[in-house]
Amino acid sequence: MSTAQHTNPNNSPPNEASSDSISDSLEKNELILRHKFQSCYDIVFRKVLIFGHIHVLLVYLDGLVDTRALDTVLLKPWMLEAPRPGLEEISSVDLMLEQQLVSIAKTKTTETMSDVVQSILSANVVILSDGVSNAVIAELKGFEQRAVEEPASETTIRGPREAFTENINVNTSLVRRKIQSTALKMESITVGSLSKTTIVIAYIEGIAKDSIIEEVRKRIRHIQMDTVLDGNFIEEFIEDHPFTLFPQMQSTERPDIVASSLAERRVAVFADGTPFVLILPCSFWSAFQSADDFYERFIYATLIRWLRMLLVITSLFLPSMYVAITTFHSQLLPTNFLLSITSAREGVPFPAVIEAFMMEFLFEGLREAGIRMPRPTGPAVSIVGALVIGQAAVQAGIVSAPMVIVVSLTGIASLITPRYSMGMAFRMLRFPMLIISGMFGLYGITMATIFLLIHLTNLESFGVPYLSPIAPLTKTELKDVLIRAPRWSMHTIPSSGSARNRLRIPKGQQPGGNQGDEAR
């Protein structure tokens, strides 16, 4: 067995290197590849003599190929075993593969050097034979990857305990396990001139709207950039309104959410190298929905959904309402409550709006510090810091105790949003709301709310209104917006802007004594 040889930067390319075609000379092909991979220490060139008379060259990336499988499946049968009777005349590797002399699941041949180079960079083994003007590409990927684990950002009580990984093939297979139908289509597109990142567009044929699928294809194919490392690289290029605070695509690391979204006429976009998948189109109401809503009974899910909506509204308006009422509209408060707040604010040197800004900035800073610090110390620092600094600020007379309570309630309420990106939008909106409330009181809050509703009404996600199905109103789709209706009552699939409604669950499946008697 010959030893592995690494690249030599001193080799110069032959004259035929300018052509993209593979030469029938093994030495010339080797010189071309050594020149292309000059100063790449992790590229391995391995010469092998097969059956005593066939000279081949194996080229692959060290660390990305399963070398154990390469030795046992490919090289051992070629170098240590004698050829079968009648096969002595075979003189090329592609003929051997056609005769099934090696057990490699995925192989293909190519006649261009550019395909050879890209295949090597894609963690494949390229096999070149002397006297043959083509190359065999064998898939023997074997790099380290993270196992399927429990979701870190979208935990559930009763749902599945599996999440996507950084391997796109694993991610698509997790969705395939949940939707075992030939109607599930997955189209691959390569984006990034340097990274060559694989992007997969997944949808269910006959259910997803054709115009949305075509629009997603067109927008992704128009992306021109050097590297794509995450789905956000794609999201910023294909969203409808780039300057709005509200996310127009849903990001998830749960295969069950992707599968259910595909069944509801949506499209999923996978990106290799990230455990998060983009789902589009997206609506405003997805911020109040979590995976647990569909694993718990509909009564519990509806109550929890109402709680989320109430707390999200609280996180947006509570500090500005407190500033507006205590500054401009103190007559709205009961006398005893007003006296309690006034006595607590006695001696505080700042107006209520400055107080609120100071505490909001402090709380947001502690939250970010807790996220960025190491896991063992992050939560302790954020919690202890909030308690110690808040108590010290009250005792020093810098802020009042009611303001600390208001900011604490606001911070807790902002954590209830299942979608992190939507929660970030509400966190950012609190600051302009505070400014307006400090300038114009409740009138300013009312006007800001009207402008916010107008903005949300004008937003679209791939042609679908952002506030649908409430604005515009679609009565048949209200069973999974403000409430979570019983599953047996959701007879049709959401239309996603289409006029058709596909039957999903036939009628007459409501449980009960009468139905049981009829069935008997």
Side-chain angles (χ1 to χ4, degrees):
M1 180 181 297
S2 63
T3 58
Q5 304 176 18
H6 290 263
T7 58
N8 182 7
N10 296 324
N11 287 329
S12 59
N15 296 331
E16 292 82 0
S18 59
S19 175
D20 193 44
S21 300
I22 298 176
S23 173
D24 56 359
S25 173
L26 186 61
E27 294 181 359
K28 292 180 180 179
N29 293 330
E30 181 181 357
L31 288 176
I32 294 173
L33 290 177
R34 286 185 180 275
H35 175 71
K36 288 183 177 293
F37 291 106
Q38 185 174 299
S39 302
C40 298
Y41 84 98
D42 52 346
I43 299 293
V44 178
F45 290 81
R46 187 169 185 176
K47 291 183 177 179
V48 179
L49 185 63
I50 300 177
F51 299 151
H53 66 280
I54 303 175
H55 294 273
V56 299
L57 174 66
L58 278 66
V59 187
Y60 58 90
L61 264 171
D62 190 18
L64 296 183
V65 170
D66 189 349
T67 54
R68 181 176 297 179
L70 177 65
D71 292 336
T72 59
V73 176
L74 194 65
L75 297 180
K76 184 178 179 181
W78 282 353
M79 301 173 63
L80 301 181
E81 299 179 7
R84 297 178 184 177
L87 297 178
E88 290 82 358
E89 66 276 6
I90 294 180
S91 60
S92 63
V93 177
D94 54 343
L95 292 177
M96 292 182 183
L97 295 175
E98 290 179 3
Q99 295 294 330
Q100 299 180 354
L101 297 185
V102 291
S103 55
I104 300 177
K106 294 182 180 181
T107 60
K108 65 178 182 179
T109 60
T110 182
E111 297 179 353
T112 61
M113 193 60 69
S114 59
D115 288 344
V116 169
V117 173
Q118 185 56 46
S119 299
I120 295 172
L121 295 174
S122 300
N124 295 315
V125 178
V126 172
I127 308 171
L128 296 163
S129 305
D130 195 15
V132 180
S133 59
N134 57 25
V136 176
I137 301 171
E139 184 172 323
L140 288 171
K141 298 178 180 179
F143 49 85
E144 294 293 330
Q145 60 185 17
R146 186 167 60 93
V148 177
E149 301 173 349
E150 185 174 352
S153 60
E154 297 175 277
T155 58
T156 59
I157 298 176
R158 294 184 58 179
R161 298 292 195 271
E162 57 184 9
F164 290 126
T165 68
E166 286 74 16
N167 190 323
I168 193 170
N169 295 325
V170 174
N171 297 344
T172 54
S173 65
L174 290 173
V175 177
R176 282 283 184 189
R177 286 173 50 193
K178 298 184 180 298
I179 303 180
Q180 300 179 16
S181 172
T182 57
L184 176 58
K185 307 300 180 182
M186 294 187 176
E187 303 178 3
S188 175
I189 301 175
T190 301
V191 181
S193 58
L194 294 178
S195 63
K196 304 292 184 182
T197 305
T198 301
I199 306 297
V200 173
I201 303 172
Y203 59 92
I204 299 180
E205 189 177 33
I207 293 181
K209 195 176 179 183
D210 295 335
S211 60
I212 295 179
I213 300 172
E214 184 59 33
E215 185 66 22
V216 174
R217 286 197 202 105
K218 184 180 71 173
R219 295 186 187 184
I220 293 180
R221 285 171 179 166
H222 285 174
I223 297 176
Q224 296 182 6
M225 60 187 309
D226 52 358
T227 55
V228 176
L229 304 178
D230 187 79
N232 179 261
F233 287 65
I234 301 297
E235 180 180 0
E236 293 190 7
F237 278 93
I238 65 176
E239 60 186 358
D240 292 75
H241 306 275
F243 297 106
T244 182
L245 292 178
F246 295 93
Q248 297 148 72
M249 282 166 251
Q250 179 180 341
S251 178
T252 181
E253 61 175 340
R254 297 186 60 92
D256 54 338
I257 293 181
V258 173
S260 62
S261 299
L262 292 176
E264 294 176 353
R265 294 180 171 166
R266 297 184 184 180
V267 179
V269 178
F270 296 78
D272 195 14
T274 176
F276 290 93
V277 175
L278 299 177
I279 300 174
L280 49 96
C282 172
S283 70
F284 174 79
W285 311 108
S286 63
F288 307 104
Q289 301 176 3
S290 72
D292 265 327
D293 293 354
F294 303 95
Y295 297 121
E296 296 287 353
R297 296 186 66 233
F298 69 95
I299 299 177
Y300 309 152
T302 300
L303 292 176
I304 295 297
R305 190 169 292 182
W306 288 350
L307 177 63
R308 291 195 198 105
M309 294 179 184
L310 178 62
L311 289 177
V312 167
I313 294 173
T314 300
S315 68
L316 178 61
F317 291 107
L318 182 59
S320 55
M321 291 287 290
Y322 174 83
V323 169
I325 291 176
T326 55
T327 305
F328 297 99
H329 313 282
S330 57
Q331 66 274 13
L332 296 178
L333 296 176
T335 304
N336 293 334
F337 189 26
L338 178 60
L339 293 174
S340 176
I341 293 179
T342 303
S343 61
R345 283 188 46 80
E346 187 177 357
V348 175
F350 304 108
V353 63
I354 302 299
E355 257 190 291
F357 258 100
M358 291 172 54
M359 294 304 297
E360 285 289 346
F361 273 116
L362 175 62
F363 190 88
E364 294 296 333
L366 289 172
R367 177 187 294 182
E368 287 299 315
I371 294 175
R372 309 304 168 195
M373 291 188 67
R375 287 188 177 182
T377 59
V381 168
S382 60
I383 294 173
V384 174
L387 291 175
V388 172
I389 296 176
Q391 182 65 26
V394 171
Q395 292 181 351
I398 299 175
V399 296
S400 61
M403 182 59 73
V404 174
I405 297 173
V406 167
V407 172
S408 301
L409 290 176
T410 302
I412 295 172
S414 64
L415 299 175
I416 200 67
T417 312
R419 304 282 174 258
Y420 177 80
S421 55
M422 188 68 78
M424 180 66 71
F426 284 107
R427 287 165 59 185
M428 294 181 66
L429 283 173
R430 283 207 302 268
F431 293 99
M433 281 287 185
L434 276 174
I435 296 175
I436 294 173
S437 65
M439 295 174 62
F440 305 106
L442 292 179
Y443 303 105
I445 296 176
T446 303
M447 293 302 298
T449 304
I450 293 174
F451 282 118
L452 179 60
L453 291 176
I454 293 174
H455 174 68
L456 291 173
T457 306
N458 289 328
L459 290 181
E460 286 186 349
S461 177
F462 286 84
V464 178
Y466 200 58
L467 293 181
S468 63
I470 292 183
L473 181 64
T474 307
K475 295 181 180 179
T476 57
E477 299 181 21
L478 295 178
K479 295 180 179 180
D480 191 24
V481 180
L482 301 179
I483 64 171
R484 208 280 273 174
R487 200 174 302 278
W488 41 261
S489 68
M490 299 181 185
H491 304 299
T492 58
I493 301 176
S495 63
S496 295
S498 176
R500 57 181 179 172
N501 282 309
R502 184 187 178 100
L503 183 64
R504 187 179 193 181
I505 300 176
K507 296 182 179 181
Q509 300 191 64
Q510 178 178 353
N514 294 334
Q515 183 185 12
D517 294 338
E518 292 176 1
R520 287 192 293 269

